[in-house]
Amino acid sequence: MPKPPPVLVDIKFNPEGVARVLKTAFADRGSINLADPTDRTRDLREAEYALLWKPDADLFTRAPNLKVIFSGGAGVDHIIGMDGLPEIPIVRFVDRSLTTRMSEWVVMQCLMHLRGQYAHDIHQRQRQWAKLIAPEAAEVTVGVMGLGILGLDAVAKLKVMGFNVIGWSRTRKEIAGVETFDAGEMDSFLGKTDILVGLLPLTPETTGFYDSGLFKKLRSNGALGRPVFINAGRGKSQVEADIASAILNGILGGASLDVFEVEPLGPDNTLWELENVFITPHDAAVSEENALFRHVEMQIARFERGEPLEFVVDRAVGY
């Protein structure tokens, strides 16, 4: 029986880690790693499956016989807009570890804003014994925008911590014990929200979505005093100049940002030095290579058994 064709891999993150794990991944068929100099000019016409993160612009010309595309992360906006994208299934990466780590980050950021961690850090460096009286989590409403796999897990864990949690999605989701809102009820959702958590995918509708107009609709008289914006979805969904001005003007009381319009965040960007702003370098939930390759192996096996692929992107909505 002939050996099945290798999996094409074009991933623009952690090349050392990817190369290491590829030594033992896809044992039945092998792989073509475009980060490896010996593979860069290889004929890709035999490839039927491609695992991609920000792939080369000419990839689909070079690999015209693909049957399935696998995203190297939870998002697919890095693939959807590409020229020559074939009409084949695109599968998102969904993994328990990635989901758990995203929720850890979201809960941590909400707790740091709840308990005034930024002020505590300043007092510590100034050697000041300055007690703060923080509200209890139950006094604060966290509004989660985006109720996919990541959003639902974050909602559940924020509820465990005692926060009042509400949720928004383009079409309404039913979640036991959680008030939910749809596209037509956004103002009502925002008006009840003290901490806004952004976990939306990037689509034409969500590009530049978090702007000054939206921030002004958040609740400004809640237990925190001023609302807080937290984003771990996509950087191009936020208008960073509006975040900075909203904080400087007192419309927002703080922010936690893991994603940015341009990455890495430039050293001269105002966001670095703003008070009560926490910056992390897009590492809230990094795809772990072993889990990623296991996910692809499992989906290929399903596909070749004639079973439906899981986590297939709806191109009409972009996620």
Side-chain angles (χ1 to χ4, degrees):
M1 186 173 173
K3 185 177 179 180
V7 175
L8 172 59
V9 178
D10 188 3
I11 293 178
K12 301 296 197 296
F13 61 77
N14 192 10
E16 296 82 8
V18 169
R20 184 184 70 251
V21 180
L22 275 179
K23 289 178 182 176
T24 53
F26 310 120
D28 62 329
R29 64 181 68 234
S31 60
I32 301 170
N33 182 10
L34 292 189
D36 183 337
T38 61
D39 277 342
R40 275 187 200 142
T41 57
R42 187 161 158 181
D43 188 333
L44 305 181
R45 285 175 293 182
E46 64 177 322
E48 296 180 352
Y49 307 106
L51 171 56
L52 309 175
W53 184 259
K54 300 185 177 177
D56 292 346
D58 64 349
L59 183 92
F60 300 123
T61 305
R62 294 180 60 201
N65 299 313
L66 296 176
K67 295 178 178 178
V68 184
I69 294 168
F70 298 94
S71 173
V76 294
D77 49 277
H78 61 103
I79 297 171
I80 288 286
M82 288 186 65
D83 289 338
L85 180 65
E87 288 291 331
I88 58 175
I90 302 172
V91 176
R92 293 182 298 114
F93 179 40
V94 174
D95 173 62
R96 180 207 59 80
S97 174
L98 186 148
T99 303
T100 296
R101 285 185 284 187
M102 178 63 84
S103 294
E104 289 169 355
W105 187 90
V106 168
V107 171
M108 175 181 73
Q109 300 301 331
C110 289
L111 288 172
M112 289 201 299
H113 287 287
L114 175 74
R115 300 303 298 262
Q117 188 59 45
Y118 190 91
H120 278 306
D121 287 345
I122 290 172
H123 295 150
Q124 178 183 336
R125 281 159 183 75
Q126 294 173 343
R127 305 184 183 217
Q128 288 186 33
W129 187 265
K131 292 187 180 182
L132 301 176
I133 300 174
E136 189 181 338
E139 300 172 56
V140 173
T141 297
V142 180
V144 177
M145 298 198 90
L147 299 175
I149 291 168
L150 298 178
L152 289 174
D153 194 67
V155 165
K157 287 170 180 168
L158 287 165
K159 280 178 65 67
V160 168
M161 293 309 305
F163 287 101
N164 181 47
V165 185
I166 61 177
W168 182 94
S169 52
R170 195 173 53 86
T171 54
R172 185 190 304 282
K173 294 275 179 72
E174 295 293 332
I175 308 172
V178 176
E179 187 179 10
T180 56
F181 301 79
D182 63 21
E185 303 166 310
M186 190 186 302
D187 286 3
S188 178
F189 165 82
L190 294 171
K192 296 183 177 187
T193 295
D194 300 306
I195 299 177
L196 179 66
V197 174
L199 292 172
L200 291 171
L202 185 66
T203 67
E205 291 74 30
T206 64
T207 300
F209 182 80
Y210 304 112
D211 62 7
S212 58
L214 183 145
F215 300 141
K216 288 173 184 172
K217 293 176 181 177
L218 294 168
R219 182 155 69 177
S220 59
N221 59 351
L224 292 178
R226 290 173 296 171
V228 168
F229 174 55
I230 294 174
N231 191 17
R234 284 289 175 256
K236 286 186 169 59
S237 290
Q238 67 197 19
V239 181
E240 284 161 18
D242 286 8
I243 297 172
S245 63
I247 289 170
L248 292 169
N249 296 333
I251 294 164
L252 288 177
S256 293
L257 305 172
D258 185 57
V259 292
F260 303 91
E261 292 175 45
V262 176
E263 297 181 2
L265 186 65
D268 299 330
N269 196 294
T270 309
L271 293 171
W272 287 110
E273 57 199 31
L274 291 178
E275 286 191 19
N276 210 28
V277 173
F278 297 99
I279 301 282
T280 55
H282 204 151
D283 64 358
V286 177
S287 298
E288 196 277 313
E289 288 79 17
N290 282 294
L292 175 59
F293 295 146
R294 280 197 305 272
H295 156 83
V296 173
E297 286 173 337
M298 186 174 72
Q299 294 302 320
I300 289 175
R302 287 179 65 93
F303 184 75
E304 293 187 340
R305 289 195 301 265
E307 299 171 16
L309 292 160
E310 298 174 299
F311 319 121
V312 175
V313 172
D314 180 346
R315 293 201 197 193
V317 295
Y319 55 88

